Amino acid sequence: MIQVAKEQDVQLKARVLTEVLPYIKRHRGKTVVIKFGGNAMEREQIREMFASDVVLMRYVGINPIIVHGGGPQITGYMERLSKEVRFVEGQRVTDSETMEIAKMVLVGKVNKEIVSLINRHGTLAIGLSGEDGNLIMSRKRFAPDGSDLGWVGEVESVNREMIERLIGFELIPVIASVGSDAEGNSYNINADIVAGEVAAALKADKIIYLTNVKGIMAQGGLVSRLGVEESRGMLENGEISEGMIPKVESCINALEAGVNRAHMIDGTSEHALLLEVFTDEGVGTMIVGGQDKDQGET
Ligand code: ADP
Ligand code: MG
C-alpha cells in the first residue's frame, strides 16, 4: 500500500511539472510588474514564500519587477512614535515628519527586508526608492475634494531606461513607493499607482496586485474576469471602493498603455503568485484590455 501511495505522489509531481511547461514557454523573456501590498506582507512566512516565488520566476527567464507599499507598517511606527495618523479619502495626510517616517519605514526597512529575502537565494535583487536614479519623478497631488494632503505625490515620469538596464543585468528591481521632484522634495505615493505607471512605462506583459482579498468582489462573489469598460462602470457605481480604487484605476491606465493583462490576487494565501503564473487555475480577478493577446487562457 505504501508503495502505491508513493507511486501516485511521483505521478502527481510529474503532472504538475509538465503542466508548468507551456507557462514557462509563454512567459519567458516577459516583464511582469508585481505590487506587493502592505496588508499581504504582514506574515513572515508569506514574505518568504513571495520571495521564493519571485526567484523561481526569475530563474525560468521571466523579468519580475517588484513595487511595494507598507501602509500598515508606516502606521505601526507612527503609533510607536505617538504621532497622529490621518487619512483623507483613503490617502495618508503626510506632513514633513510623516514623510520622514514613511521613508525610513518603506526604504530603510520594508524594501531592504524584501531584497534580503530574495538575495538569500542568490545575487538577484536590487532595492531602490523612486528617488534613486530619479526613478520616479513626482509632483504634488491634492485630494479629489481639493484638500491639501501634504507630501503626497503622483507620478510625473518613470525612468524606464534605468529599470531596463537593471533587468539587462538580470537583476530584480525592488521599488519603494517614494518619489521626488526636481527640487529634491520627497513624496509619498500610493504603491498601486507607482506599480501601474512602471508597468505602463515598460509596456510590461502583466501587472499583478497581491492584496488581502481574493480579487474584485461584486454581488457577494469573486469576479474572475473583467474588461476595461466593465471596470470603469464598477468604479462609477461604487462597487469598487477604498483601497481597490487606485488598483483598478492603475490597471486601466496600464492596459491602455499596452500592458496585456492585470491580475488582482490574494497575497495572503500561500504561493498565490506561483499559482497565478504557472497553473491553469488562474486565481483571483483578471482585467483584460481590448487587445488581449492570450485570449481565452488564464
Ligand atoms: P493593499 O495593501 O493591498 O493596497 P488595500 O486595503 O489598500 O490593500 O485595498 C484592498 C481593499 O479594498 C480590500 O481589503 C477591500 O476592503 C477593499 N475593496 C473595496 N471594494 C472592493 C471590491 N469590489 N472587491 C474587493 N475589495 C474591495
Ligand atoms: Mg492600498
Side-chain angles (χ1 to χ4, degrees):
M1 280 314 277
I2 294 165
Q3 201 67 41
V4 174
K6 263 192 185 157
E7 183 125 333
Q8 281 173 342
D9 268 8
V10 173
Q11 288 303 324
L12 180 68
K13 278 183 190 161
R15 255 215 323 280
V16 170
L17 286 168
T18 318
E19 188 181 308
V20 165
L21 185 62
Y23 292 93
I24 295 178
K25 257 164 87 179
R26 188 189 311 155
H27 298 310
R28 231 182 126 72
K30 302 269 173 70
T31 299
V32 177
V33 175
I34 304 155
K35 191 265 176 160
F36 196 27
N39 287 307
M41 65 174 74
E42 297 251 71
R43 274 174 50 213
E44 193 182 337
Q45 196 195 356
I46 291 291
R47 292 198 296 274
E48 284 173 7
M49 281 186 195
F50 166 80
S52 73
D53 290 359
V54 168
V55 169
L56 198 143
M57 287 171 75
R58 174 61 270 190
Y59 279 142
V60 299
I62 299 170
N63 305 317
I65 298 170
I66 298 163
V67 177
H68 66 87
Q73 292 76 7
I74 297 169
T75 299
Y77 273 83
M78 288 182 72
E79 282 165 357
R80 276 159 75 171
L81 297 166
S82 308
K83 192 138 165 69
E84 190 202 355
V85 176
R86 208 155 64 82
F87 283 88
V88 171
E89 302 200 20
Q91 289 272 3
R92 184 186 303 275
V93 178
T94 308
D95 61 15
S96 297
E97 208 185 339
T98 303
M99 188 63 235
E100 198 177 313
I101 297 167
K103 244 165 95 165
M104 288 188 329
V105 174
L106 289 178
V107 185
K109 186 169 190 298
V110 178
N111 186 272
K112 295 311 149 208
E113 187 176 347
I114 298 172
V115 168
S116 85
L117 282 173
I118 294 174
N119 285 349
R120 289 200 310 196
H121 300 269
T123 307
L124 292 159
I126 184 154
L128 303 152
S129 95
E131 293 178 301
D132 292 301
N134 287 341
L135 192 61
I136 311 287
M137 295 305 285
S138 326
R139 59 173 168 257
K140 190 175 165 74
R141 174 190 178 130
F142 290 87
D145 69 0
S147 55
D148 192 340
L149 298 165
W151 296 108
V152 170
E154 57 190 23
V155 177
E156 202 168 62
S157 65
V158 172
N159 189 342
R160 175 178 54 84
E161 197 191 335
M162 206 187 47
I163 301 177
E164 282 172 349
R165 282 187 187 209
L166 295 172
I167 291 173
F169 286 121
E170 302 198 341
L171 288 165
I172 304 168
V174 179
I175 304 168
S177 61
V178 172
S180 64
D181 64 17
E183 278 81 52
N185 298 304
S186 305
Y187 294 88
N188 173 22
I189 315 177
N190 183 300
D192 296 338
I193 298 173
V194 174
E197 294 283 352
V198 167
L202 281 132
K203 298 210 189 314
D205 186 56
K206 262 184 201 296
I207 180 162
I208 303 175
Y209 285 90
L210 291 173
T211 181
N212 62 344
V213 280
K214 284 198 164 65
I216 296 176
M217 312 296 289
Q219 286 142 27
L222 173 70
V223 181
S224 58
R225 194 183 168 106
L226 266 179
V228 165
E229 284 316 314
E230 292 165 289
S231 314
R232 276 210 183 90
M234 289 176 74
L235 282 167
E236 274 161 28
N237 69 22
E239 275 182 293
I240 288 165
S241 61
E242 302 163 12
M244 201 44 88
I245 296 174
K247 293 186 215 309
V248 174
E249 284 180 347
S250 302
C251 285
I252 294 173
N253 285 343
L255 290 167
E256 288 184 338
V259 173
N260 196 26
R261 286 178 167 189
H263 299 265
M264 224 68 79
I265 62 177
D266 185 1
T268 66
S269 72
E270 297 185 359
H271 293 300
L273 194 55
L274 214 55
L275 291 170
E276 175 50 55
V277 177
F278 294 113
T279 71
D280 292 331
E281 292 81 29
V283 285
T285 302
M286 173 166 74
I287 309 181
V288 292
Q291 337 262 303
D292 184 23
K293 295 182 212 95
D294 305 322
Q295 274 194 3
E297 296 165 58
T298 57

